Amino acid sequence: MDTSSKENIQLFCKSSVQPVGRPSFKTEYSSSKEKQECCGKLKVFLGALSFVYFAKALAEGYLKSTITQIERRFDIPSSLVGVIYGSFEIGNLLVITFVSYFGAKLHRPKIIGTGCLIMGVGTLLIALPQFFMQQYRYEKYSPFSNSTLSLSPCLLESDSQLPLSVIEKPQSKRNDGCVQTVAIIGPIFGFLLGSLCAKLYVDIGFVNLDHITITPKDPQWVGAWWLGYLIAGIVSLLAALPFWCLPKSLPRHRSKEDSNSASEKSKFIMDDHADYQTSLGEKSKIMEMARDFLPSLKNLFGNPLYLLYLCASTVQFNSLFGMVTYKPKYIEQQYGQSSSKANFVIGLINIPAVALGIFSGGIVMKKFRVSVYGAAKLYLGSSVLGYLLFLSLFALGCENSDVAGITVSYQGTKPVSYHERALFSDCNSRCKCSETKWEPMCGENGITYASACLAGCQTSTRSGKTLIFYNCTCVGIAASKSGNSSGMVGRCQKDNGCPKMFLYFLVISVITSYTLSLGGIPGYILLLRCIKPQLKSFALGIYTLAVRVLAGIPAPVYFGILIDTSCLKWGFKRCGSRGSCRLYDSNAFRHIYLGLTVMLGTVSIFLSIAVLFTLKKNCVSKHRSFRTKTEGTMVSTRIRKENCTTSDHLLQPSCWPGKETQL
């Protein structure tokens, strides 16, 4: 066992250094025992790190699944939800650069543990508003009653003194695969948890659920969005515990695998550890590290290949972050699915496709021993094919729902230019309805009305949670029937072709997710190999910072702002200010959501092409330099050989073929 190996074991296992010399049986036994202890601690570290990845991914996946629930609960537009979502990345702006630089030289396990504690507390704080706000109020037509009742919604709307809301009473390679796999499993459980919580009423545990008159299919339904944050926060806190019991550094054992056959990840760890390893008995000073910060940053950004790849990745992640953030909302609005089903589909189908794509990319890199240039081509190819497939989603949309006075006229004809007065017609003129209310009712003619009052309904009956309206004059006009017609609470389902379109959307979406994720591992390898070994940790920190700050923060915001422009019917808060969007223009929403994603993806493709050309140019120049150096060495060797043959035989031992080459 060499000296450096002993130092590593001493650092991690806190064992004494054995003297150099002929090993005794006791020494060999002690060394074997140290190896076992170190391997045991390594397994503990990997298990704890995998749990951290799971906890982090669980919280992020759940956050994306609660977008629409938060919109309805707090009655806010998508643009503001985007600000809230993007603000979670602001913390990275403050700490990630310094953690990536100093963290490589300080006590890593304790830094990870501290981060887990902060993450856990922050996740718990997200759920805090639920316990300080009033309970959720939703619009309803009458107080709950188990008995059948009769009322006149048309007359009820004209009487402002009657209550319209319900108020409840207050209450190694295998190791590297291990960690990444768990990181992918986290979002799956996050979206599945979001699906489960979306089925539970927001105030569960505080109100009598028998008194709740709406169901998860109702547009006013809000699920228990806060419950998942409590679960994710507790998981994050538990993930922090093991790191406080681990030593400062991990050991590394020298073997034949430390040669060129070692994996890129192991090389990264070895090089990083060796570069930062100080001399025996010495420790790096914080001030000395700080003085090297700016020169290291300048060196990093002076690398054109790293800079281009950073730009390409940042633009692509803008595309992906915006697309994934509003994907549940897109499924709900475009295909008329519930929040619970949208989250369930994403968690059970889309995310496993991403995991399989990342795994397949790694297998291809390993099996075919792909070079750096090949990795760049694979990264580019997966992006091009993925966004080409994404283009087909433009043809897989559903038409707007037929909503009287918004998308169709009260006579059922299209199109109609929406404005507030368009909600009124001769059939509901005597009802004195409010144009700001959104209490959708589905008429038997297949047209949705903003409220039963605007449908001209005069009577209703309720049995349990089922509410049916009768004598609806506007429904009768659109149905071309004599007399009056009926309707039920809730929006009408979209046309019969929409479920089939949703199925096609899922298939294309899964294939696209798989294709785009194929370039994940090749891109990661390209990133590691285009920078100096001593800057790898710092470069990864800057890369993560750029992606989160330049993509994670702005993408949800401007995606949300543009999506809001497709809103047809805004809700209003009780104070009179504008709330969340009640109805979107399906066509406009589809073109904005998909168009913005494809546009950003196209820009990232052009930047990836620039990366490929820069890499090719560097490879050619290095190849020429290598050939020139080799030819010069061969000439020098030939000259020395000729000199050796003509010189005195006493000098011959100092000259041999290939000496300069070996030096």
Side-chain angles (χ1 to χ4, degrees):
M1 183 182 293
D2 57 10
T3 306
S4 62
S5 298
K6 291 175 184 176
E7 292 173 6
N8 291 330
I9 292 177
Q10 186 179 17
L11 284 171
F12 183 75
C13 302
K14 298 182 179 179
S15 60
S16 60
V17 180
Q18 298 292 335
V20 180
R22 185 175 180 179
S24 63
F25 173 78
K26 185 176 181 181
T27 304
E28 291 178 353
Y29 175 78
S30 175
S31 176
S32 176
K33 188 175 181 181
E34 287 174 354
K35 275 188 176 182
Q36 291 178 358
E37 291 178 357
C38 292
C39 289
K41 291 178 181 178
L42 179 61
K43 290 179 180 178
V44 171
F45 176 78
L46 287 171
L49 189 63
S50 299
F51 193 37
V52 169
Y53 269 68
F54 172 81
K56 179 177 179 293
L58 173 69
E60 290 184 351
Y62 184 77
L63 173 63
K64 292 180 176 66
S65 72
T66 57
I67 292 295
T68 54
Q69 304 294 316
I70 292 175
E71 277 188 29
R72 294 174 188 168
R73 178 63 180 93
F74 299 100
D75 213 7
I76 54 179
S78 296
S79 56
L80 185 54
V81 171
V83 172
I84 295 172
Y85 180 78
S87 66
F88 290 104
E89 304 293 350
I90 293 178
N92 292 297
L93 176 65
L94 303 175
V95 300
I96 198 168
T97 304
F98 300 99
V99 169
S100 65
Y101 183 73
F102 293 107
K105 308 178 183 184
L106 302 176
H107 200 301
R108 298 185 187 184
K110 287 187 178 180
I111 291 176
I112 297 173
T114 303
C116 290
L117 289 176
I118 296 173
M119 181 173 67
V121 173
T123 307
L124 292 174
L125 288 175
I126 299 175
L128 208 58
Q130 172 66 21
F131 303 96
F132 291 95
M133 295 183 63
Q134 292 183 347
Q135 290 167 6
Y136 177 58
R137 300 180 180 184
Y138 58 90
E139 302 296 334
K140 59 179 277 184
Y141 293 99
S142 67
F144 178 83
S145 176
N146 286 325
S147 60
T148 302
L149 53 89
S150 178
L151 55 94
S152 175
C154 178
L155 297 177
L156 181 63
E157 292 285 354
S158 64
D159 189 353
S160 61
Q161 307 249 336
L162 293 177
L164 296 177
S165 62
V166 59
I167 305 177
E168 304 291 348
K169 295 182 179 180
Q171 307 197 29
S172 73
K173 290 183 182 177
R174 288 180 295 180
N175 295 333
D176 299 335
C178 178
V179 175
Q180 297 298 331
T181 301
V182 173
I184 293 296
I185 292 175
I188 296 177
F189 279 87
F191 276 98
L192 293 180
L193 180 61
S195 175
L196 175 63
C197 292
K199 292 181 179 179
L200 305 176
Y201 185 66
V202 60
D203 290 323
I204 185 173
F206 300 94
V207 298
N208 187 346
L209 298 181
D210 292 334
H211 293 175
I212 304 302
T213 60
I214 57 176
T215 65
K217 294 183 179 180
D218 194 286
Q220 299 183 85
W221 177 270
V222 175
W225 61 273
W226 52 274
L227 185 59
Y229 288 113
L230 294 181
I231 296 173
I234 293 173
V235 170
S236 297
L237 292 177
L238 292 176
L241 298 179
F243 290 98
W244 298 97
C245 306
L246 290 171
K248 180 178 180 180
S249 58
L250 294 172
R252 64 187 179 110
H253 300 290
R254 291 194 178 275
S255 64
K256 294 181 180 179
E257 293 184 357
D258 290 346
S259 62
N260 294 332
S261 62
S263 65
E264 181 66 28
K265 183 68 177 177
S266 64
K267 286 182 182 179
F268 167 61
I269 295 175
M270 300 288 188
D271 293 340
D272 177 71
H273 186 82
D275 180 71
Y276 286 138
Q277 188 68 39
T278 57
S279 59
L280 185 62
E282 295 180 358
K283 294 184 178 180
S284 297
K285 302 295 183 181
I286 298 294
M287 293 303 298
E288 293 177 3
M289 296 186 230
R291 279 196 294 268
D292 293 336
F293 181 81
L294 289 179
S296 298
L297 189 65
K298 183 179 179 181
N299 194 331
L300 200 59
F301 283 105
N303 186 336
L305 192 60
Y306 175 79
L307 196 59
L308 281 172
Y309 178 78
L310 185 66
C311 294
S313 297
T314 302
V315 175
Q316 186 178 43
F317 275 107
N318 267 273
S319 169
L320 298 179
F321 280 157
M323 184 264 290
V324 173
T325 300
Y326 293 99
K327 194 166 191 175
K329 186 182 185 70
Y330 180 77
I331 292 175
E332 289 180 47
Q333 296 294 330
Q334 189 70 209
Y335 302 103
Q337 303 297 322
S338 65
S339 297
S340 177
K341 187 172 182 178
N343 292 327
F344 181 80
V345 164
I346 294 173
L348 204 62
I349 298 178
N350 271 86
I351 297 179
V354 173
L356 183 61
I358 294 174
F359 182 76
S360 300
I363 291 295
V364 170
M365 291 290 295
K366 179 182 178 182
K367 184 175 179 62
F368 298 99
R369 300 181 179 275
V370 181
S371 64
V372 183
Y373 187 66
K377 290 194 291 186
L378 185 57
Y379 174 76
L380 175 62
S382 67
S383 297
V384 172
L385 183 57
Y387 284 108
L388 284 176
L389 289 170
F390 203 84
L391 284 172
S392 62
L393 296 180
F394 280 96
L396 301 179
C398 295
E399 294 298 322
N400 286 317
S401 300
D402 291 339
V403 182
I406 300 180
T407 61
V408 296
S409 67
Y410 275 87
Q411 287 72 33
T413 58
K414 299 181 182 180
V416 63
S417 179
Y418 172 68
H419 52 86
E420 289 185 355
R421 299 306 304 174
L423 288 171
F424 299 99
S425 178
D426 293 337
C427 60
N428 58 28
S429 58
R430 66 182 183 87
C431 296
K432 298 181 181 179
C433 306
S434 170
E435 68 272 12
T436 62
K437 296 291 183 183
W438 179 252
E439 302 158 355
M441 186 211 78
C442 178
E444 66 176 19
N445 55 5
I447 296 177
T448 300
Y449 297 86
S451 67
C453 176
L454 289 169
C457 301
Q458 300 175 27
T459 60
S460 68
T461 60
R462 184 196 299 276
S463 179
K465 294 186 178 182
T466 303
L467 184 62
I468 303 177
F469 300 94
Y470 298 99
N471 299 325
C472 304
T473 55
C474 295
V475 176
I477 292 174
S480 300
K481 296 179 181 178
S482 57
N484 301 322
S485 298
S486 61
M488 296 182 64
V489 170
R491 290 168 58 175
C492 297
Q493 294 295 320
K494 294 210 171 188
D495 58 81
N496 295 331
C498 200
K500 185 181 294 185
M501 286 293 183
F502 179 54
L503 181 61
Y504 294 153
F505 168 82
L506 291 181
V507 173
I508 299 297
S509 180
V510 167
I511 298 175
T512 302
S513 299
Y514 173 81
T515 306
L516 287 173
S517 60
L518 271 175
I521 295 298
Y524 180 74
I525 297 300
L526 176 63
L527 173 66
L528 291 180
R529 290 184 180 176
C530 73
I531 51 181
K532 296 180 180 179
Q534 63 268 26
L535 293 176
K536 285 181 179 179
S537 177
F538 189 41
L540 285 174
I542 295 295
Y543 173 80
T544 306
L545 174 70
V547 166
R548 291 186 174 273
V549 173
L550 301 180
I553 293 177
V557 177
Y558 63 76
F559 262 80
I561 291 173
L562 292 174
I563 287 173
D564 280 343
T565 62
S566 65
C567 184
L568 292 176
K569 172 65 177 174
W570 287 100
F572 289 88
K573 301 178 182 178
R574 288 177 174 80
C575 61
S577 60
R578 194 175 76 173
S580 60
C581 184
R582 308 303 192 192
L583 181 69
Y584 288 91
D585 183 339
S586 295
N587 294 323
F589 192 166
R590 181 171 69 255
H591 288 100
I592 289 172
Y593 174 76
L594 300 180
L596 196 54
T597 302
V598 172
M599 183 186 70
L600 291 169
T602 304
V603 175
S604 72
I605 288 173
F606 281 109
L607 289 170
S608 299
I609 293 174
V611 170
L612 193 64
F613 277 109
T614 304
L615 184 61
K616 184 177 181 180
K617 183 179 178 181
N618 289 348
C619 289
V620 170
S621 62
K622 286 183 179 179
H623 180 66
R624 289 177 178 173
S625 175
F626 176 76
R627 286 185 60 185
T628 303
K629 185 180 294 186
T630 303
E631 290 172 356
T633 303
M634 292 175 65
V635 171
S636 176
T637 303
R638 188 175 66 253
I639 294 173
R640 293 296 298 270
K641 285 175 66 178
E642 292 174 354
N643 291 337
C644 286
T645 56
T646 57
S647 61
D648 188 78
H649 70 280
L650 295 175
L651 299 177
Q652 287 182 3
S654 64
C655 302
W656 63 88
K659 178 181 178 182
E660 286 76 13
T661 304
Q662 289 186 8
L663 291 175

